Amino acid sequence: MERAKLILIDSYGLVMANTQYLKSKRWRIKLDEMSVECQGSDNQIHQVLPLEAGIGYSNSIQLEDGLRYIETQYTPIRDFSILSTIESAEPQIIITLSLEGSSRYSGQGKDVVFNKGFTVITTFTSSLGERQYEAGRPINQLRLAIRKNWLDLHFGENKFDQWFNKSGLQQISYQPISNQSLFIIKQLLADNIADSLQRVLMQGYVRVLLASELNQLNFNSQDPCKHYNKNEIKIANNARDILTNEYNNPPSLKELSKRVGTNPIKLKQLFHLYFNNTPYGLLFEIRMNQAYQLLKTTRCHVNIAADHVGYNHASNFSAAFTKYFGVSPKTVSKN
């Protein structure tokens, strides 16, 4: 029997415990196999995955009192787990957005699965379990750790009480990442932000990301954790990926449906179910967000931005852009 010990004690009460575990093929991380670095005065913690497990890192930044942002990127070369005991003085929620790969949290008789393209919201006061990763399956996840007092301050004291009416780990929702969130994540992960502005911009992006994901929840829903059909998820995500990659010259609805293995009526139904939008509605959002980013970063002419996102007439593009953002593309380009 080996004894594993994990690593981080911070203001969110994440306490790594001495834990004995049974023999298994899954490798557990020890204290001396994972390094921890506290960087600067902004309470940023950088962790590096042991080479025995693979390559990757996890960055954790406390943006505000009660709001923490965590970015994790792992490329495992073997099955491994990170074991932890979490004791928090105050209830909190974790919002996990999975951008790549799949992983699992197992503990206290409960399993929480994190799949690419989906957001999982959980709450806890204390939890004992392990995060499990599989060899050859790269992981890219963003997590927001939010204390209940922060939620009460910004949303009202009674807004989320129903989430904290049980002890232990609770899964609140499992839903596709919103298209708005995907755009915000792209900005958040961009490396062209000046160091002097990075923290301020990150706070803004994280707040918008949080609002975007919470906005998808139906607080009166009787089944917020409903199970989605895996084949339907794959079809919908593949179609969204095609539109994201080919927004300047997109396929027709018929062609798009054929490429992902369904028919136009079914594809519309899937988009409504998983993205609360239509294929062309989602395409419009992708085009507008891509144009905004191009104008902001390159200050190009409006005609160039219009052509870049597939508009034949700059006047039509300008009208659509202004209606969508409430500001003209020329203004974005100049500023």
Side-chain angles (χ1 to χ4, degrees), residues 97 176-187 205 207-216 240 275 277 282 285-286 289 324-325:
L97 300 97
I177 301 174
S178 72
N179 194 58
Q180 181 185 21
S181 291
L182 291 175
F183 175 69
I184 294 299
I185 290 169
K186 184 177 181 180
Q187 312 306 307
Y205 285 140
R207 282 172 171 259
V208 175
L209 187 61
L210 172 62
S212 176
E213 290 306 305
L214 292 181
N215 186 54
Q216 292 196 97
R240 178 166 68 173
F275 307 134
N277 209 335
L282 188 61
E285 290 184 0
I286 293 170
N289 288 324
Y324 186 74
F325 288 109

Side-chain angles (χ1 to χ4, degrees), residues 257-275:
S257 302
K258 183 177 180 180
R259 287 173 63 177
V260 297
T262 188
N263 59 71
I265 295 177
K266 180 64 175 180
L267 187 61
K268 287 181 179 179
Q269 293 173 344
L270 296 181
F271 267 64
H272 177 73
L273 175 62
Y274 296 123
F275 307 134

Side-chain angles (χ1 to χ4, degrees), residues 1-3 20-23:
M1 304 286 285
E2 294 186 46
R3 187 177 295 273
Q20 287 190 328
Y21 57 86
L22 299 175
K23 292 180 179 179

Side-chain angles (χ1 to χ4, degrees), residues 60-276:
S60 175
I61 305 173
Q62 185 170 335
L63 298 175
E64 303 175 28
D65 183 19
L67 177 63
R68 182 175 287 276
Y69 166 83
I70 305 107
E71 176 187 339
T72 300
Q73 293 191 28
Y74 292 153
T75 303
I77 59 174
R78 66 192 302 176
D79 294 351
F80 74 93
S81 298
I82 297 177
L83 294 85
S84 66
T85 297
I86 303 174
E87 295 289 348
S88 178
E90 182 180 352
Q92 60 180 294
I93 70 170
I94 304 293
I95 300 178
T96 303
L97 300 97
S98 296
L99 308 179
E100 183 179 6
S102 298
S103 65
R104 178 185 300 269
Y105 179 86
S106 181
Q108 298 176 315
K110 299 178 181 178
D111 283 0
V112 181
V113 178
F114 307 94
N115 289 318
K116 176 184 176 181
F118 280 79
T119 297
V120 175
I121 300 179
T122 55
T123 66
F124 69 88
T125 301
S126 63
S127 179
L128 171 63
E130 62 179 33
R131 287 184 173 271
Q132 302 173 349
Y133 304 92
E134 296 183 12
R137 302 189 68 176
I139 294 293
N140 187 354
Q141 295 175 345
L142 300 184
R143 297 201 306 277
L144 307 180
I146 310 146
R147 285 184 173 179
K148 185 177 183 298
N149 64 354
W150 192 95
L151 292 170
D152 291 343
L153 178 64
H154 293 85
F155 293 95
E157 292 189 5
N158 300 320
K159 183 68 173 178
F160 299 97
D161 283 355
Q162 59 179 314
W163 289 9
F164 301 100
N165 58 8
K166 296 181 180 180
S167 61
L169 178 70
Q170 301 294 326
Q171 182 173 338
I172 302 302
S173 72
Y174 177 85
Q175 60 194 16
I177 301 174
S178 72
N179 194 58
Q180 181 185 21
S181 291
L182 291 175
F183 175 69
I184 294 299
I185 290 169
K186 184 177 181 180
Q187 312 306 307
L188 188 59
L189 299 180
D191 57 5
N192 59 350
I193 302 175
D195 290 341
S196 59
L197 298 176
Q198 190 171 28
R199 187 177 183 83
V200 175
L201 286 174
M202 184 174 289
Q203 286 177 318
Y205 285 140
V206 167
R207 282 172 171 259
V208 175
L209 187 61
L210 172 62
S212 176
E213 290 306 305
L214 292 181
N215 186 54
Q216 292 196 97
L217 294 178
N218 178 1
F219 289 93
N220 297 317
S221 173
Q222 299 300 312
D223 188 18
C225 298
K226 63 182 179 181
H227 296 284
Y228 293 92
N229 182 285
K230 290 184 178 181
N231 186 54
E232 290 183 348
I233 293 171
K234 184 177 180 180
I235 291 173
N237 280 335
N238 286 346
R240 178 166 68 173
D241 289 345
I242 291 173
L243 293 177
T244 301
N245 294 328
E246 302 177 21
Y247 58 85
N248 59 342
N249 186 26
S252 65
L253 179 60
K254 183 178 180 179
E255 182 183 349
L256 178 63
S257 302
K258 183 177 180 180
R259 287 173 63 177
V260 297
T262 188
N263 59 71
I265 295 177
K266 180 64 175 180
L267 187 61
K268 287 181 179 179
Q269 293 173 344
L270 296 181
F271 267 64
H272 177 73
L273 175 62
Y274 296 123
F275 307 134
N276 194 29

